[in-house]
Amino acid sequence: MTSEKSLKEPEVNPSHPSTPRASHPVTMREVAEGAGVSVATVSLVINNKKDARIGAATRKRVLDTIRELGYRPNALAKNLVSGSSRFIGLVADAIATTPFAGQIIHGAQDEAWKHGFVLLVANTEGDEPVEKDAISMMLEHKVRGILYSTWFHRPTKIPAALRETDFVLVNCFSPDSDALAVVPDEVHGGREATEILVRKGHRRIAFINATIPAPAKDGRLQGYREALESAGIAFDPHLVFDAYPDQEGGYGAVEELLKRDVTAVFCYNDRMAMGLYDGLKQRGLSIPEDMAVVGFDNQEVIAAHMRPPLSTVALPHYELGAAGVRLLLGVDEPAGSPVVKLECPPVERDSVGPNTLTAPRVP
């Protein structure tokens, strides 16, 4: 039977060499004492002052003592001395809560790490006081610079506090300034989406655009027109119409679409294509046998899991974040315009087949 005494914690003998010592952050003074130098000398070594007159043997002794004791320099103090830190800020209006656009954070984080920086992220949900506080906090931490991002491509107003440091706009731009920005090339994306259909022999291609004014609405339409022109297909304004850019918008566009004698359709986004799928199937039509469909965005939680999987064009969210960091650090330089446009790559799946059909009619 176990005695009451044996259940007690063993007594600690502070003088015994095997007794664990209370852990605490190692101070610069302890390093100085261990190395036999002054605190000032330790500070000069830690901050790598090139003009400091410290012998190689002394410098090595200090560094060896730092490693032996496990000393960690006070990052905040170093930031105050240098005027900068190893942090890069990212202030976003909603991208942390949108799965596909969250890739902006992923790309920025990976690229920052490659260059020895850590990403500080603030998600403001578009709340201006929260945004102001987030930027202020990052400035207090002496960030190297700030990426300012929106969850969809749009013009934006630059917060005044942002101008107190280096910054790059990501997935947005300022039409009233020459601020550095990185955005998707919407025209290129619209052209790529249309060319997926053209390459399969389709010539009666409808474009269901968005009702909401945005760079994507204008750019994707321009890309659609350019692809038709390159293929020698006359632009027909009757094959372009607007719908709300969600599933209900795509579903509601089906009846009008079928009146226009088309064999293929390019949808403004993947959610719209999802609704279009439902409307076509409800009328007994098959994809791609009766209608070829292309979306835009490559929201993988949608596009890759539709039946059949949806051909689409990817918004380069990961690369937007990575490119923003490279611009901020001066690794990349903009060529000509301060607004850098990234290509939107096509993602071909099974929703587009060869044009071996005539346009389906309204049942």
Side-chain angles (χ1 to χ4, degrees):
M1 181 173 180
T2 306
S3 69
E4 182 179 349
K5 184 176 181 181
S6 67
L7 294 174
K8 293 180 180 179
E9 293 291 330
E11 294 183 4
V12 176
N13 180 0
S15 64
H16 194 283
S18 64
T19 301
R21 300 174 61 185
S23 62
H24 67 276
V26 178
T27 65
M28 195 181 295
R29 182 171 296 282
E30 288 174 312
V31 173
E33 291 172 355
V37 298
S38 68
V39 172
T41 298
V42 175
S43 177
L44 291 171
V45 172
I46 289 171
N47 290 293
N48 199 27
K49 296 293 185 181
K50 301 298 183 184
D51 55 348
R53 296 182 178 179
I54 300 173
T58 300
R59 185 181 295 274
K60 181 179 184 301
R61 192 163 69 250
V62 170
L63 293 174
D64 288 345
T65 304
I66 287 172
R67 283 191 291 271
E68 180 183 340
L69 297 180
Y71 172 72
R72 294 180 182 231
N74 186 318
L76 181 58
K78 289 187 71 176
N79 296 347
L80 292 173
V81 171
S82 66
S84 185
S85 73
R86 305 306 293 178
F87 292 125
I88 290 173
L90 189 152
V91 177
D93 63 357
I95 63 174
T97 55
T98 52
F100 70 103
Q103 286 293 312
I104 290 176
I105 295 176
H106 191 185
Q109 184 172 265
D110 286 352
E111 192 66 28
W113 190 251
K114 286 180 186 177
H115 300 284
F117 288 85
V118 173
L119 195 68
L120 295 179
V121 180
N123 188 42
T124 68
E125 296 296 336
D127 186 310
E128 288 190 14
V130 172
E131 178 180 275
K132 184 177 179 181
D133 288 346
I135 294 173
S136 177
M137 176 273 292
M138 290 178 178
L139 293 175
E140 288 172 5
H141 280 75
K142 304 292 183 181
V143 293
R144 170 61 182 80
I146 295 176
L147 305 182
Y148 183 82
S149 184
T150 56
W151 81 271
F152 72 95
H153 180 192
R154 63 178 175 84
T156 191
K157 182 179 179 181
I158 299 172
L162 205 58
R163 297 186 182 278
E164 295 181 35
T165 187
D166 294 335
F167 68 92
V168 175
L169 305 177
V170 177
N171 210 30
C172 55
F173 61 98
S174 173
D176 303 321
S177 77
D178 58 355
L180 277 179
V182 56
V183 299
D185 189 337
E186 304 285 3
V187 176
H188 172 267
R191 193 164 54 241
E192 288 284 352
T194 310
E195 286 176 351
I196 291 174
L197 298 166
V198 170
R199 284 195 296 270
K200 293 292 187 177
H202 293 278
R203 299 184 68 82
R204 292 284 294 175
I205 303 169
F207 176 39
I208 309 178
N209 207 350
T211 53
I212 302 171
K217 175 180 171 69
D218 297 335
R220 294 173 195 180
L221 174 59
Q222 182 180 335
Y224 164 79
R225 297 189 64 162
E226 288 182 3
L228 294 180
E229 182 179 356
S230 295
I233 302 171
F235 171 72
D236 183 350
H238 295 98
L239 299 186
V240 177
F241 58 103
D242 296 347
Y244 196 79
D246 64 4
Q247 188 172 355
E248 290 302 315
Y251 180 85
V254 171
E255 185 173 350
E256 191 65 32
L257 174 69
L258 293 177
K259 293 177 182 177
R260 306 189 187 209
D261 295 337
V262 300
T263 64
V265 57
F266 162 30
C267 296
Y268 174 84
N269 65 19
D270 294 345
R271 289 179 299 159
M272 187 182 283
M274 181 188 294
L276 188 73
Y277 267 47
D278 291 340
L280 290 172
K281 289 177 181 178
Q282 193 175 68
R283 288 164 172 78
L285 299 173
S286 298
I287 300 168
E289 291 79 11
D290 295 313
M291 182 76 71
V293 181
V294 170
F296 202 110
D297 288 348
N298 194 33
Q299 293 191 41
E300 291 196 12
V301 293
I302 296 176
H305 302 288
M306 292 168 66
R307 295 292 178 267
L310 178 67
S311 291
T312 185
V313 170
L315 283 170
H317 287 110
Y318 180 94
E319 185 57 26
L320 286 171
V325 170
R326 291 195 296 271
L327 285 170
L328 184 69
L329 297 179
V331 176
D332 289 349
E333 294 289 342
S337 170
V339 179
V340 176
K341 295 183 178 181
L342 301 185
E343 292 186 352
C344 302
V347 181
E348 298 194 43
R349 298 191 178 100
D350 298 334
S351 63
V352 178
N355 180 21
T356 59
L357 45 85
T358 57
R361 304 291 177 176
V362 180

